[in-house]
PDB file of all heavy atoms in Angstrom:
ATOM      1  N   VAL H   1    -118.376 -19.067  86.552  1.00 98.00           N
ATOM      2  CA  VAL H   1    -119.331 -17.955  86.505  1.00 98.00           C
ATOM      3  C   VAL H   1    -120.584 -18.349  85.733  1.00 98.00           C
ATOM      4  O   VAL H   1    -121.716 -18.105  86.173  1.00 98.00           O
ATOM      5  CB  VAL H   1    -118.670 -16.711  85.889  1.00 98.00           C
ATOM      6  CG1 VAL H   1    -119.716 -15.639  85.574  1.00 98.00           C
ATOM      7  CG2 VAL H   1    -117.601 -16.158  86.817  1.00 98.00           C
ATOM      8  N   VAL H   2    -120.403 -18.975  84.576  1.00 97.00           N
ATOM      9  CA  VAL H   2    -121.553 -19.352  83.748  1.00 97.00           C
ATOM     10  C   VAL H   2    -122.443 -20.352  84.468  1.00 97.00           C
ATOM     11  O   VAL H   2    -123.683 -20.235  84.454  1.00 97.00           O
ATOM     12  CB  VAL H   2    -121.057 -19.903  82.393  1.00 97.00           C
ATOM     13  CG1 VAL H   2    -122.149 -20.690  81.686  1.00 97.00           C
ATOM     14  CG2 VAL H   2    -120.583 -18.758  81.514  1.00 97.00           C
ATOM     15  N   ARG H   3    -121.845 -21.324  85.133  1.00 96.00           N
ATOM     16  CA  ARG H   3    -122.648 -22.315  85.856  1.00 96.00           C
ATOM     17  C   ARG H   3    -123.412 -21.670  87.012  1.00 96.00           C
ATOM     18  O   ARG H   3    -124.584 -21.976  87.257  1.00 96.00           O
ATOM     19  CB  ARG H   3    -121.761 -23.443  86.366  1.00 96.00           C
ATOM     20  CG  ARG H   3    -121.285 -24.376  85.269  1.00 96.00           C
ATOM     21  CD  ARG H   3    -120.312 -25.422  85.817  1.00 96.00           C
ATOM     22  NE  ARG H   3    -120.084 -26.446  84.819  1.00 96.00           N
ATOM     23  CZ  ARG H   3    -120.898 -27.478  84.615  1.00 96.00           C
ATOM     24  NH1 ARG H   3    -121.977 -27.629  85.348  1.00 96.00           N
ATOM     25  NH2 ARG H   3    -120.633 -28.368  83.683  1.00 96.00           N
ATOM     26  N   ALA H   4    -122.739 -20.779  87.725  1.00 96.00           N
ATOM     27  CA  ALA H   4    -123.389 -20.127  88.859  1.00 96.00           C
ATOM     28  C   ALA H   4    -124.578 -19.285  88.401  1.00 96.00           C
ATOM     29  O   ALA H   4    -125.676 -19.356  88.980  1.00 96.00           O
ATOM     30  CB  ALA H   4    -122.377 -19.258  89.602  1.00 96.00           C
ATOM     31  N   VAL H   5    -124.381 -18.490  87.365  1.00 97.00           N
ATOM     32  CA  VAL H   5    -125.469 -17.622  86.885  1.00 97.00           C
ATOM     33  C   VAL H   5    -126.578 -18.457  86.241  1.00 97.00           C
ATOM     34  O   VAL H   5    -127.768 -18.172  86.429  1.00 97.00           O
ATOM     35  CB  VAL H   5    -124.924 -16.567  85.917  1.00 97.00           C
ATOM     36  CG1 VAL H   5    -126.054 -15.717  85.345  1.00 97.00           C
ATOM     37  CG2 VAL H   5    -123.905 -15.668  86.625  1.00 97.00           C
ATOM     38  N   ALA H   6    -126.189 -19.502  85.502  1.00 96.00           N
ATOM     39  CA  ALA H   6    -127.202 -20.358  84.880  1.00 96.00           C
ATOM     40  C   ALA H   6    -128.099 -20.996  85.929  1.00 96.00           C
ATOM     41  O   ALA H   6    -129.323 -21.100  85.739  1.00 96.00           O
ATOM     42  CB  ALA H   6    -126.531 -21.428  84.029  1.00 96.00           C
ATOM     43  N   ASP H   7    -127.528 -21.420  87.049  1.00 93.00           N
ATOM     44  CA  ASP H   7    -128.342 -22.025  88.112  1.00 93.00           C
ATOM     45  C   ASP H   7    -129.386 -21.044  88.642  1.00 93.00           C
ATOM     46  O   ASP H   7    -130.468 -21.450  89.078  1.00 93.00           O
ATOM     47  CB  ASP H   7    -127.442 -22.489  89.258  1.00 93.00           C
ATOM     48  CG  ASP H   7    -126.676 -23.757  88.912  1.00 93.00           C
ATOM     49  OD1 ASP H   7    -127.048 -24.436  87.934  1.00 93.00           O
ATOM     50  OD2 ASP H   7    -125.691 -24.070  89.615  1.00 93.00           O
ATOM     51  N   ALA H   8    -129.078 -19.752  88.584  1.00 94.00           N
ATOM     52  CA  ALA H   8    -130.011 -18.749  89.092  1.00 94.00           C
ATOM     53  C   ALA H   8    -131.079 -18.373  88.070  1.00 94.00           C
ATOM     54  O   ALA H   8    -132.237 -18.144  88.446  1.00 94.00           O
ATOM     55  CB  ALA H   8    -129.242 -17.500  89.533  1.00 94.00           C
ATOM     56  N   VAL H   9    -130.721 -18.275  86.795  1.00 96.00           N
ATOM     57  CA  VAL H   9    -131.658 -17.680  85.829  1.00 96.00           C
ATOM     58  C   VAL H   9    -132.348 -18.684  84.915  1.00 96.00           C
ATOM     59  O   VAL H   9    -133.390 -18.365  84.339  1.00 96.00           O
ATOM     60  CB  VAL H   9    -130.952 -16.615  84.952  1.00 96.00           C
ATOM     61  CG1 VAL H   9    -130.299 -15.555  85.812  1.00 96.00           C
ATOM     62  CG2 VAL H   9    -129.938 -17.231  83.995  1.00 96.00           C
ATOM     63  N   MET H  10    -131.781 -19.879  84.740  1.00 95.00           N
ATOM     64  CA  MET H  10    -132.344 -20.811  83.765  1.00 95.00           C
ATOM     65  C   MET H  10    -133.508 -21.583  84.352  1.00 95.00           C
ATOM     66  O   MET H  10    -133.455 -22.059  85.491  1.00 95.00           O
ATOM     67  CB  MET H  10    -131.271 -21.799  83.292  1.00 95.00           C
ATOM     68  CG  MET H  10    -130.106 -21.165  82.555  1.00 95.00           C
ATOM     69  SD  MET H  10    -130.560 -20.451  80.958  1.00 95.00           S
ATOM     70  CE  MET H  10    -130.978 -21.929  80.034  1.00 95.00           C
ATOM     71  N   ASP H  11    -134.579 -21.724  83.582  1.00 90.00           N
ATOM     72  CA  ASP H  11    -135.651 -22.638  83.950  1.00 90.00           C
ATOM     73  C   ASP H  11    -135.653 -23.795  82.951  1.00 90.00           C
ATOM     74  O   ASP H  11    -134.954 -23.740  81.938  1.00 90.00           O
ATOM     75  CB  ASP H  11    -137.003 -21.925  84.010  1.00 90.00           C
ATOM     76  CG  ASP H  11    -137.460 -21.409  82.643  1.00 90.00           C
ATOM     77  OD1 ASP H  11    -137.351 -22.154  81.648  1.00 90.00           O
ATOM     78  OD2 ASP H  11    -137.945 -20.270  82.583  1.00 90.00           O
ATOM     79  N   PRO H  12    -136.396 -24.870  83.211  1.00 85.00           N
ATOM     80  CA  PRO H  12    -136.293 -26.057  82.353  1.00 85.00           C
ATOM     81  C   PRO H  12    -136.568 -25.807  80.878  1.00 85.00           C
ATOM     82  O   PRO H  12    -136.059 -26.529  80.023  1.00 85.00           O
ATOM     83  CB  PRO H  12    -137.328 -27.015  82.962  1.00 85.00           C
ATOM     84  CG  PRO H  12    -137.416 -26.606  84.392  1.00 85.00           C
ATOM     85  CD  PRO H  12    -137.236 -25.127  84.399  1.00 85.00           C
ATOM     86  N   GLN H  13    -137.382 -24.811  80.551  1.00 86.00           N
ATOM     87  CA  GLN H  13    -137.704 -24.547  79.155  1.00 86.00           C
ATOM     88  C   GLN H  13    -136.866 -23.417  78.556  1.00 86.00           C
ATOM     89  O   GLN H  13    -137.073 -23.040  77.408  1.00 86.00           O
ATOM     90  CB  GLN H  13    -139.195 -24.195  79.033  1.00 86.00           C
ATOM     91  CG  GLN H  13    -140.128 -25.289  79.550  1.00 86.00           C
ATOM     92  CD  GLN H  13    -139.828 -26.650  78.943  1.00 86.00           C
ATOM     93  OE1 GLN H  13    -139.658 -26.780  77.728  1.00 86.00           O
ATOM     94  NE2 GLN H  13    -139.752 -27.675  79.791  1.00 86.00           N
ATOM     95  N   GLY H  14    -135.942 -22.877  79.324  1.00 92.00           N
ATOM     96  CA  GLY H  14    -135.155 -21.745  78.857  1.00 92.00           C
ATOM     97  C   GLY H  14    -134.051 -22.142  77.892  1.00 92.00           C
ATOM     98  O   GLY H  14    -133.708 -23.313  77.744  1.00 92.00           O
ATOM     99  N   ARG H  15    -133.486 -21.135  77.260  1.00 96.00           N
ATOM    100  CA  ARG H  15    -132.381 -21.334  76.333  1.00 96.00           C
ATOM    101  C   ARG H  15    -131.201 -20.461  76.750  1.00 96.00           C
ATOM    102  O   ARG H  15    -131.371 -19.401  77.352  1.00 96.00           O
ATOM    103  CB  ARG H  15    -132.773 -20.927  74.904  1.00 96.00           C
ATOM    104  CG  ARG H  15    -133.574 -21.939  74.130  1.00 96.00           C
ATOM    105  CD  ARG H  15    -133.753 -21.438  72.712  1.00 96.00           C
ATOM    106  NE  ARG H  15    -134.503 -22.340  71.877  1.00 96.00           N
ATOM    107  CZ  ARG H  15    -133.967 -23.324  71.150  1.00 96.00           C
ATOM    108  NH1 ARG H  15    -132.669 -23.507  71.169  1.00 96.00           N
ATOM    109  NH2 ARG H  15    -134.722 -24.097  70.400  1.00 96.00           N
ATOM    110  N   ALA H  16    -130.009 -20.922  76.360  1.00 98.00           N
ATOM    111  CA  ALA H  16    -128.792 -20.137  76.542  1.00 98.00           C
ATOM    112  C   ALA H  16    -128.066 -20.066  75.214  1.00 98.00           C
ATOM    113  O   ALA H  16    -128.229 -20.938  74.344  1.00 98.00           O
ATOM    114  CB  ALA H  16    -127.898 -20.778  77.602  1.00 98.00           C
ATOM    115  N   ILE H  17    -127.251 -19.019  75.056  1.00 98.00           N
ATOM    116  CA  ILE H  17    -126.455 -18.874  73.839  1.00 98.00           C
ATOM    117  C   ILE H  17    -125.025 -18.506  74.216  1.00 98.00           C
ATOM    118  O   ILE H  17    -124.798 -17.680  75.101  1.00 98.00           O
ATOM    119  CB  ILE H  17    -127.058 -17.824  72.881  1.00 98.00           C
ATOM    120  CG1 ILE H  17    -126.239 -17.732  71.591  1.00 98.00           C
ATOM    121  CG2 ILE H  17    -127.199 -16.455  73.544  1.00 98.00           C
ATOM    122  CD1 ILE H  17    -126.902 -16.927  70.485  1.00 98.00           C
ATOM    123  N   ASP H  18    -124.077 -19.132  73.534  1.00 98.00           N
ATOM    124  CA  ASP H  18    -122.647 -18.869  73.691  1.00 98.00           C
ATOM    125  C   ASP H  18    -122.178 -18.190  72.404  1.00 98.00           C
ATOM    126  O   ASP H  18    -122.043 -18.836  71.366  1.00 98.00           O
ATOM    127  CB  ASP H  18    -121.914 -20.191  73.930  1.00 98.00           C
ATOM    128  CG  ASP H  18    -120.436 -20.027  74.205  1.00 98.00           C
ATOM    129  OD1 ASP H  18    -119.977 -18.888  74.347  1.00 98.00           O
ATOM    130  OD2 ASP H  18    -119.730 -21.059  74.283  1.00 98.00           O
ATOM    131  N   ILE H  19    -121.952 -16.871  72.476  1.00 98.00           N
ATOM    132  CA  ILE H  19    -121.595 -16.075  71.300  1.00 98.00           C
ATOM    133  C   ILE H  19    -120.081 -16.043  71.152  1.00 98.00           C
ATOM    134  O   ILE H  19    -119.355 -15.867  72.129  1.00 98.00           O
ATOM    135  CB  ILE H  19    -122.158 -14.649  71.440  1.00 98.00           C
ATOM    136  CG1 ILE H  19    -123.693 -14.699  71.498  1.00 98.00           C
ATOM    137  CG2 ILE H  19    -121.701 -13.764  70.289  1.00 98.00           C
ATOM    138  CD1 ILE H  19    -124.320 -13.378  71.928  1.00 98.00           C
ATOM    139  N   CYS H  20    -119.600 -16.203  69.921  1.00 98.00           N
ATOM    140  CA  CYS H  20    -118.154 -16.320  69.657  1.00 98.00           C
ATOM    141  C   CYS H  20    -117.594 -17.487  70.453  1.00 98.00           C
ATOM    142  O   CYS H  20    -116.486 -17.414  70.999  1.00 98.00           O
ATOM    143  CB  CYS H  20    -117.415 -15.032  69.984  1.00 98.00           C
ATOM    144  SG  CYS H  20    -117.997 -13.567  69.123  1.00 98.00           S
ATOM    145  N   GLY H  21    -118.346 -18.581  70.493  1.00 98.00           N
ATOM    146  CA  GLY H  21    -118.025 -19.709  71.371  1.00 98.00           C
ATOM    147  C   GLY H  21    -117.022 -20.692  70.824  1.00 98.00           C
ATOM    148  O   GLY H  21    -116.761 -21.711  71.467  1.00 98.00           O
ATOM    149  N   GLY H  22    -116.460 -20.440  69.624  1.00 96.00           N
ATOM    150  CA  GLY H  22    -115.401 -21.297  69.107  1.00 96.00           C
ATOM    151  C   GLY H  22    -115.830 -22.741  68.978  1.00 96.00           C
ATOM    152  O   GLY H  22    -116.881 -23.055  68.395  1.00 96.00           O
ATOM    153  N   SER H  23    -115.032 -23.638  69.540  1.00 96.00           N
ATOM    154  CA  SER H  23    -115.304 -25.083  69.452  1.00 96.00           C
ATOM    155  C   SER H  23    -116.185 -25.601  70.574  1.00 96.00           C
ATOM    156  O   SER H  23    -116.231 -26.803  70.813  1.00 96.00           O
ATOM    157  CB  SER H  23    -113.990 -25.868  69.427  1.00 96.00           C
ATOM    158  OG  SER H  23    -113.302 -25.640  68.217  1.00 96.00           O
ATOM    159  N   GLY H  24    -116.854 -24.715  71.284  1.00 97.00           N
ATOM    160  CA  GLY H  24    -117.921 -25.143  72.179  1.00 97.00           C
ATOM    161  C   GLY H  24    -117.504 -25.598  73.560  1.00 97.00           C
ATOM    162  O   GLY H  24    -118.294 -26.238  74.262  1.00 97.00           O
ATOM    163  N   HIS H  25    -116.291 -25.246  74.009  1.00 97.00           N
ATOM    164  CA  HIS H  25    -115.864 -25.698  75.328  1.00 97.00           C
ATOM    165  C   HIS H  25    -116.769 -25.139  76.426  1.00 97.00           C
ATOM    166  O   HIS H  25    -117.193 -25.877  77.333  1.00 97.00           O
ATOM    167  CB  HIS H  25    -114.407 -25.310  75.569  1.00 97.00           C
ATOM    168  CG  HIS H  25    -113.445 -26.053  74.692  1.00 97.00           C
ATOM    169  ND1 HIS H  25    -113.367 -25.820  73.332  1.00 97.00           N
ATOM    170  CD2 HIS H  25    -112.545 -27.025  74.966  1.00 97.00           C
ATOM    171  CE1 HIS H  25    -112.456 -26.624  72.812  1.00 97.00           C
ATOM    172  NE2 HIS H  25    -111.936 -27.361  73.779  1.00 97.00           N
ATOM    173  N   LEU H  26    -117.087 -23.857  76.356  1.00 97.00           N
ATOM    174  CA  LEU H  26    -117.972 -23.278  77.363  1.00 97.00           C
ATOM    175  C   LEU H  26    -119.431 -23.647  77.090  1.00 97.00           C
ATOM    176  O   LEU H  26    -120.226 -23.750  78.035  1.00 97.00           O
ATOM    177  CB  LEU H  26    -117.791 -21.757  77.398  1.00 97.00           C
ATOM    178  CG  LEU H  26    -118.379 -21.034  78.601  1.00 97.00           C
ATOM    179  CD1 LEU H  26    -117.804 -21.584  79.905  1.00 97.00           C
ATOM    180  CD2 LEU H  26    -118.131 -19.545  78.505  1.00 97.00           C
ATOM    181  N   THR H  27    -119.786 -23.854  75.843  1.00 98.00           N
ATOM    182  CA  THR H  27    -121.141 -24.322  75.513  1.00 98.00           C
ATOM    183  C   THR H  27    -121.439 -25.620  76.249  1.00 98.00           C
ATOM    184  O   THR H  27    -122.573 -25.859  76.686  1.00 98.00           O
ATOM    185  CB  THR H  27    -121.278 -24.543  74.000  1.00 98.00           C
ATOM    186  OG1 THR H  27    -120.696 -23.469  73.286  1.00 98.00           O
ATOM    187  CG2 THR H  27    -122.735 -24.691  73.598  1.00 98.00           C
ATOM    188  N   ARG H  28    -120.419 -26.449  76.382  1.00 97.00           N
ATOM    189  CA  ARG H  28    -120.562 -27.723  77.108  1.00 97.00           C
ATOM    190  C   ARG H  28    -121.033 -27.490  78.546  1.00 97.00           C
ATOM    191  O   ARG H  28    -121.774 -28.306  79.099  1.00 97.00           O
ATOM    192  CB  ARG H  28    -119.212 -28.440  77.087  1.00 97.00           C
ATOM    193  CG  ARG H  28    -119.177 -29.842  77.652  1.00 97.00           C
ATOM    194  CD  ARG H  28    -117.800 -30.422  77.381  1.00 97.00           C
ATOM    195  NE  ARG H  28    -117.684 -31.814  77.769  1.00 97.00           N
ATOM    196  CZ  ARG H  28    -116.975 -32.244  78.808  1.00 97.00           C
ATOM    197  NH1 ARG H  28    -116.322 -31.369  79.566  1.00 97.00           N
ATOM    198  NH2 ARG H  28    -116.901 -33.538  79.099  1.00 97.00           N
ATOM    199  N   SER H  29    -120.606 -26.386  79.153  1.00 95.00           N
ATOM    200  CA  SER H  29    -121.019 -26.071  80.522  1.00 95.00           C
ATOM    201  C   SER H  29    -122.499 -25.747  80.605  1.00 95.00           C
ATOM    202  O   SER H  29    -123.095 -25.803  81.685  1.00 95.00           O
ATOM    203  CB  SER H  29    -120.211 -24.885  81.056  1.00 95.00           C
ATOM    204  OG  SER H  29    -118.825 -25.136  80.997  1.00 95.00           O
ATOM    205  N   LEU H  30    -123.113 -25.380  79.484  1.00 95.00           N
ATOM    206  CA  LEU H  30    -124.522 -25.005  79.459  1.00 95.00           C
ATOM    207  C   LEU H  30    -125.438 -26.164  79.092  1.00 95.00           C
ATOM    208  O   LEU H  30    -126.661 -26.046  79.220  1.00 95.00           O
ATOM    209  CB  LEU H  30    -124.726 -23.875  78.439  1.00 95.00           C
ATOM    210  CG  LEU H  30    -124.000 -22.562  78.726  1.00 95.00           C
ATOM    211  CD1 LEU H  30    -123.997 -21.679  77.478  1.00 95.00           C
ATOM    212  CD2 LEU H  30    -124.651 -21.845  79.888  1.00 95.00           C
ATOM    213  N   ALA H  31    -124.852 -27.264  78.633  1.00 91.00           N
ATOM    214  CA  ALA H  31    -125.651 -28.324  78.009  1.00 91.00           C
ATOM    215  C   ALA H  31    -126.625 -28.983  78.973  1.00 91.00           C
ATOM    216  O   ALA H  31    -127.694 -29.452  78.549  1.00 91.00           O
ATOM    217  CB  ALA H  31    -124.728 -29.368  77.392  1.00 91.00           C
ATOM    218  N   ASP H  32    -126.292 -29.046  80.262  1.00 86.00           N
ATOM    219  CA  ASP H  32    -127.180 -29.726  81.204  1.00 86.00           C
ATOM    220  C   ASP H  32    -127.960 -28.741  82.066  1.00 86.00           C
ATOM    221  O   ASP H  32    -128.509 -29.109  83.098  1.00 86.00           O
ATOM    222  CB  ASP H  32    -126.373 -30.677  82.100  1.00 86.00           C
ATOM    223  CG  ASP H  32    -125.255 -29.960  82.861  1.00 86.00           C
ATOM    224  OD1 ASP H  32    -125.081 -28.747  82.646  1.00 86.00           O
ATOM    225  OD2 ASP H  32    -124.563 -30.621  83.655  1.00 86.00           O
ATOM    226  N   ARG H  33    -128.030 -27.470  81.644  1.00 85.00           N
ATOM    227  CA  ARG H  33    -128.696 -26.463  82.451  1.00 85.00           C
ATOM    228  C   ARG H  33    -130.156 -26.248  82.073  1.00 85.00           C
ATOM    229  O   ARG H  33    -130.866 -25.540  82.776  1.00 85.00           O
ATOM    230  CB  ARG H  33    -127.945 -25.130  82.348  1.00 85.00           C
ATOM    231  CG  ARG H  33    -126.614 -25.035  83.124  1.00 85.00           C
ATOM    232  CD  ARG H  33    -126.677 -25.815  84.393  1.00 85.00           C
ATOM    233  NE  ARG H  33    -125.662 -25.523  85.377  1.00 85.00           N
ATOM    234  CZ  ARG H  33    -124.829 -26.443  85.873  1.00 85.00           C
ATOM    235  NH1 ARG H  33    -124.852 -27.677  85.415  1.00 85.00           N
ATOM    236  NH2 ARG H  33    -123.997 -26.137  86.831  1.00 85.00           N
ATOM    237  N   ALA H  34    -130.620 -26.793  80.966  1.00 82.00           N
ATOM    238  CA  ALA H  34    -132.016 -26.644  80.542  1.00 82.00           C
ATOM    239  C   ALA H  34    -132.335 -27.742  79.541  1.00 82.00           C
ATOM    240  O   ALA H  34    -131.436 -28.376  78.974  1.00 82.00           O
ATOM    241  CB  ALA H  34    -132.259 -25.270  79.937  1.00 82.00           C
ATOM    242  N   ALA H  35    -133.629 -27.959  79.319  1.00 81.00           N
ATOM    243  CA  ALA H  35    -134.037 -28.993  78.372  1.00 81.00           C
ATOM    244  C   ALA H  35    -133.723 -28.596  76.939  1.00 81.00           C
ATOM    245  O   ALA H  35    -133.441 -29.449  76.093  1.00 81.00           O
ATOM    246  CB  ALA H  35    -135.535 -29.262  78.530  1.00 81.00           C
ATOM    247  N   SER H  36    -133.772 -27.298  76.638  1.00 91.00           N
ATOM    248  CA  SER H  36    -133.487 -26.825  75.281  1.00 91.00           C
ATOM    249  C   SER H  36    -131.987 -26.787  75.048  1.00 91.00           C
ATOM    250  O   SER H  36    -131.219 -26.334  75.912  1.00 91.00           O
ATOM    251  CB  SER H  36    -134.076 -25.431  75.068  1.00 91.00           C
ATOM    252  OG  SER H  36    -135.471 -25.448  75.204  1.00 91.00           O
ATOM    253  N   ALA H  37    -131.553 -27.261  73.887  1.00 95.00           N
ATOM    254  CA  ALA H  37    -130.129 -27.287  73.566  1.00 95.00           C
ATOM    255  C   ALA H  37    -129.571 -25.872  73.506  1.00 95.00           C
ATOM    256  O   ALA H  37    -130.212 -24.964  72.961  1.00 95.00           O
ATOM    257  CB  ALA H  37    -129.906 -27.979  72.229  1.00 95.00           C
ATOM    258  N   PRO H  38    -128.376 -25.643  74.058  1.00 97.00           N
ATOM    259  CA  PRO H  38    -127.771 -24.320  73.937  1.00 97.00           C
ATOM    260  C   PRO H  38    -127.394 -24.021  72.492  1.00 97.00           C
ATOM    261  O   PRO H  38    -127.050 -24.915  71.719  1.00 97.00           O
ATOM    262  CB  PRO H  38    -126.532 -24.406  74.827  1.00 97.00           C
ATOM    263  CG  PRO H  38    -126.199 -25.863  74.878  1.00 97.00           C
ATOM    264  CD  PRO H  38    -127.511 -26.584  74.784  1.00 97.00           C
ATOM    265  N   ILE H  39    -127.450 -22.753  72.144  1.00 98.00           N
ATOM    266  CA  ILE H  39    -127.015 -22.293  70.830  1.00 98.00           C
ATOM    267  C   ILE H  39    -125.540 -21.915  70.920  1.00 98.00           C
ATOM    268  O   ILE H  39    -125.115 -21.225  71.850  1.00 98.00           O
ATOM    269  CB  ILE H  39    -127.825 -21.071  70.364  1.00 98.00           C
ATOM    270  CG1 ILE H  39    -129.317 -21.410  70.244  1.00 98.00           C
ATOM    271  CG2 ILE H  39    -127.281 -20.532  69.037  1.00 98.00           C
ATOM    272  CD1 ILE H  39    -129.673 -22.313  69.108  1.00 98.00           C
ATOM    273  N   LEU H  40    -124.754 -22.366  69.959  1.00 98.00           N
ATOM    274  CA  LEU H  40    -123.350 -21.981  69.839  1.00 98.00           C
ATOM    275  C   LEU H  40    -123.214 -21.147  68.571  1.00 98.00           C
ATOM    276  O   LEU H  40    -123.484 -21.627  67.472  1.00 98.00           O
ATOM    277  CB  LEU H  40    -122.458 -23.218  69.765  1.00 98.00           C
ATOM    278  CG  LEU H  40    -120.990 -22.991  69.387  1.00 98.00           C
ATOM    279  CD1 LEU H  40    -120.301 -22.048  70.367  1.00 98.00           C
ATOM    280  CD2 LEU H  40    -120.245 -24.323  69.308  1.00 98.00           C
ATOM    281  N   ALA H  41    -122.814 -19.886  68.723  1.00 98.00           N
ATOM    282  CA  ALA H  41    -122.680 -18.977  67.593  1.00 98.00           C
ATOM    283  C   ALA H  41    -121.216 -18.615  67.391  1.00 98.00           C
ATOM    284  O   ALA H  41    -120.544 -18.198  68.334  1.00 98.00           O
ATOM    285  CB  ALA H  41    -123.507 -17.715  67.831  1.00 98.00           C
ATOM    286  N   ASP H  42    -120.737 -18.764  66.171  1.00 98.00           N
ATOM    287  CA  ASP H  42    -119.353 -18.408  65.857  1.00 98.00           C
ATOM    288  C   ASP H  42    -119.251 -18.173  64.355  1.00 98.00           C
ATOM    289  O   ASP H  42    -120.052 -18.700  63.573  1.00 98.00           O
ATOM    290  CB  ASP H  42    -118.384 -19.505  66.297  1.00 98.00           C
ATOM    291  CG  ASP H  42    -116.956 -18.998  66.412  1.00 98.00           C
ATOM    292  OD1 ASP H  42    -116.214 -19.045  65.397  1.00 98.00           O
ATOM    293  OD2 ASP H  42    -116.565 -18.549  67.507  1.00 98.00           O
ATOM    294  N   LEU H  43    -118.227 -17.416  63.958  1.00 98.00           N
ATOM    295  CA  LEU H  43    -118.036 -17.110  62.539  1.00 98.00           C
ATOM    296  C   LEU H  43    -117.430 -18.277  61.782  1.00 98.00           C
ATOM    297  O   LEU H  43    -117.613 -18.383  60.563  1.00 98.00           O
ATOM    298  CB  LEU H  43    -117.144 -15.874  62.415  1.00 98.00           C
ATOM    299  CG  LEU H  43    -116.823 -15.370  61.005  1.00 98.00           C
ATOM    300  CD1 LEU H  43    -118.101 -14.992  60.259  1.00 98.00           C
ATOM    301  CD2 LEU H  43    -115.874 -14.180  61.066  1.00 98.00           C
TER     302      LEU H  43
END
């Protein structure tokens, strides 16, 4: 789902954020979707 939606909404300069993303497994799916590094937020 994240890859499909990212392909539609992300542009090269855009950013994504993974909230409550734990150890970053899903953040990894966002890493090649834009030039800006994804943000991983967790407690």
Side-chain angles (χ1 to χ4, degrees):
V1 169
V2 162
R3 287 176 169 277
V5 176
D7 285 344
V9 304
M10 297 293 293
D11 65 45
Q13 302 308 313
R15 280 186 180 271
I17 182 169
D18 184 7
I19 297 168
C20 303
S23 291
H25 292 70
L26 194 57
T27 316
R28 186 173 185 251
S29 303
L30 297 165
D32 57 357
R33 285 326 196 237
S36 298
I39 299 289
L40 169 59
D42 199 271
L43 180 60

